[in-house]
Amino acid sequence: MNSKVFLNYLYNLSYEILSLVLPIFSVPYVSRVLGAYQLGKYYYVTAVVTYFGIFAVLGTVDYGQREIAKRQDDILERSKTFWDVLVFRLFFIFVALIIYIPVIFFSLAKYRLLYIISIISFVSWACDVSWYFQGMENYKVTALKNGMVKIAATILIFVLIKSQNDVWLYTLIYALAGLVGNLTMFPYLKGSIVFLRPNLKHALGQFTSIFGLFLPVVAIQLYNSLDKIILGQFSTSRQVGYFSQVQIIVNFCVIFVAAYGGVMTPHISYLYQNGNKRKTIKNYIQSAIKYVYMLAVPMVIGCLCIGDIFVPVFFGPKYKAAIPTLYILACLIVVMGMGQLQGQFLIAINRQKYFSFATVSALVINFIIAIVLIVCFHSGATGTAFATVISEIVATCIEAFYLKDISGLGSYFSSFMHYLAFGALIIVPICIIRIVFNSHLLIIILSLIFGSICYGVALLISKDVIILSIIEPFINKFKRK
């Protein structure tokens, strides 16, 4: 594994792990204090605000990251790109804010305060320059600064959130956390770019290229938030709460799985721009596919084995109705992990039109199935989960098809079966633990520990290439000492 990529992976993974670990402490507390109804209001408003965020930033995150990556070695060219992208973002964020203001006044009274607080998110988007540092393959800045802000936000939740009436404060804490996190990155731009007089006309001239990456961003965000909005309109806030809380568990795992692909995107863009051999890129992509399976497969099996006791322990006994939703969404750990990886690679090698086609197709399928199941069959959170799974599978399969000349379709199946065989081994220790112990919390902890040990040892014994590539740098460093 390339040393620079590996270091960025560690920074990105550390940040993602922190993002995953903090909810372990805050989510059970918030679920009990605010309750499913108040959390449903928060998630509903957040979903609506997300729509405005989509149109505010368009496809500038992926576009900016990719274009900066191509120009890493030229400070003038990357500075020009930086100012163009920043001015472009500011213009459309301002337009989105003007459109957003009437939403506050015409919204239901129970949501109005949350909408007003969410104006802070627009300021946060304007101050976000993380795409620049990601393009420069400098994940240290984004990881350390945003990590500290997340820790502070979590502490504030425990200190300030005390009753169901504090949902407005919960919204405010997260909105301010995003803004402060973005502001802390600005000092690190000094010396990395030079000031060039912004030119709005020239910046808007990038619209066609940015819009090419806007469609997949729209589709992804729409079917991430559309389910919650349909649930909120045609079902209940409680169902929104069930679905959203279970999504936290799934996203907890997906982010962990997708960390490697995130740092690979600018590196692949750099290699592709500088004419590196196709074989080099192919090796990176195939290794990334194996990495996703190595982490995701045992996570899915673990969710299926202990999901029935994990949900009430983590969220509280009132969330038992969400257990079937977790069983359905669990497979997304593999599907979304692979889908995000493939989408990032398609963008990196300038095949974003296929990424757009995949995500738009998934959006349409998700909308149709969700409407039928939620409106016609009143299936609530479980119906929403089923619609999400089907749409994500469709998107992932389409992406795999358009990467087949590089990745090879055969590698998907062979790698999946390889890690499925080893992943199945964790069922044995988990079943024994469930029989021997009665404490649900103890069962969860021991299952995670011994399941991981069993899986890891099996991979080491088989000399799995991915696990060896991960531990090899540490072994070499130890030998040098």
Side-chain angles (χ1 to χ4, degrees), residues 224-244:
N224 280 344
S225 56
L226 185 64
D227 295 329
K228 300 182 186 71
I229 292 178
I230 295 176
L231 267 178
Q233 289 293 328
F234 299 103
S235 188
T236 65
S237 292
R238 191 174 302 278
Q239 289 295 316
V240 177
Y242 289 152
F243 179 78
S244 299

Side-chain angles (χ1 to χ4, degrees), residues 50 73 118 162 170 210 249 285 410 425-426 437 444 448 465:
T50 297
D73 301 328
S118 296
K162 298 298 181 182
Y170 184 70
I210 292 175
I249 303 301
I285 292 178
L425 295 175
I426 73 172
F437 298 96
I444 293 171
L448 289 173
V465 292

Side-chain angles (χ1 to χ4, degrees), residues 174-347:
Y174 275 113
L176 286 175
L179 174 59
V180 173
N182 290 336
L183 287 173
T184 58
M185 288 184 279
F186 268 85
Y188 293 89
L189 290 172
K190 185 178 180 180
S192 184
I193 60 170
V194 295
F195 178 77
L196 298 174
R197 185 178 178 182
N199 186 318
L200 179 60
K201 183 177 180 181
H202 186 272
L204 295 179
Q206 313 296 314
F207 181 82
T208 303
S209 299
I210 292 175
F211 190 77
L213 293 170
F214 170 59
L215 289 179
V217 171
V218 169
I220 290 172
Q221 295 294 342
L222 284 181
Y223 69 64
N224 280 344
S225 56
L226 185 64
D227 295 329
K228 300 182 186 71
I229 292 178
I230 295 176
L231 267 178
Q233 289 293 328
F234 299 103
S235 188
T236 65
S237 292
R238 191 174 302 278
Q239 289 295 316
V240 177
Y242 289 152
F243 179 78
S244 299
Q245 293 297 81
V246 169
Q247 260 195 331
I248 291 175
I249 303 301
V250 175
N251 291 336
F252 185 106
C253 300
V254 171
I255 292 174
F256 192 93
V257 171
Y260 182 68
V263 301
M264 282 299 300
T265 304
H267 192 67
I268 293 294
S269 294
Y270 178 77
L271 292 174
Y272 188 78
Q273 176 69 15
N274 288 277
N276 271 259
K277 292 182 179 180
R278 189 185 191 90
K279 185 178 180 181
T280 303
I281 297 176
K282 181 176 181 178
N283 290 336
Y284 273 121
I285 292 178
Q286 289 186 338
S287 294
I289 290 171
K290 292 177 181 178
Y291 176 85
V292 168
Y293 282 139
M294 183 191 73
L295 288 181
V297 170
M299 289 180 181
V300 174
I301 296 173
C303 285
L304 297 178
C305 289
I306 62 173
D308 60 320
I309 59 177
F310 182 85
V311 169
V313 169
F314 194 66
F315 297 116
K318 294 182 179 179
Y319 285 83
K320 285 186 177 180
I323 293 173
T325 304
L326 176 61
Y327 286 150
I328 297 172
L329 289 179
C331 65
L332 286 183
I333 300 171
V334 171
V335 178
M336 287 182 64
M338 191 61 66
Q340 289 185 22
L341 176 77
Q342 293 174 157
Q344 290 165 340
F345 283 156
L346 285 171
I347 291 172

Side-chain angles (χ1 to χ4, degrees), residues 220 257-258 260-262 264-265 268 285-286 288-290 292-293 334-352 354-356 358-359 392-404 406-409 411-413:
I220 290 172
V257 171
Y260 182 68
M264 282 299 300
T265 304
I268 293 294
I285 292 178
Q286 289 186 338
I289 290 171
K290 292 177 181 178
V292 168
Y293 282 139
V334 171
V335 178
M336 287 182 64
M338 191 61 66
Q340 289 185 22
L341 176 77
Q342 293 174 157
Q344 290 165 340
F345 283 156
L346 285 171
I347 291 172
I349 61 175
N350 293 329
R351 296 185 183 181
Q352 57 265 23
Y354 302 126
F355 181 42
S356 300
T359 49
E392 290 283 359
I393 290 174
V394 169
T396 301
C397 289
I398 292 174
E399 290 168 351
F401 178 79
Y402 287 112
L403 272 176
K404 68 180 187 300
I406 297 178
S407 60
L409 292 178
S411 63
Y412 286 94
F413 180 75

Side-chain angles (χ1 to χ4, degrees), residues 47-59:
V48 174
V49 173
T50 297
Y51 281 127
F52 287 90
I54 294 169
F55 292 99
V57 303
L58 291 176

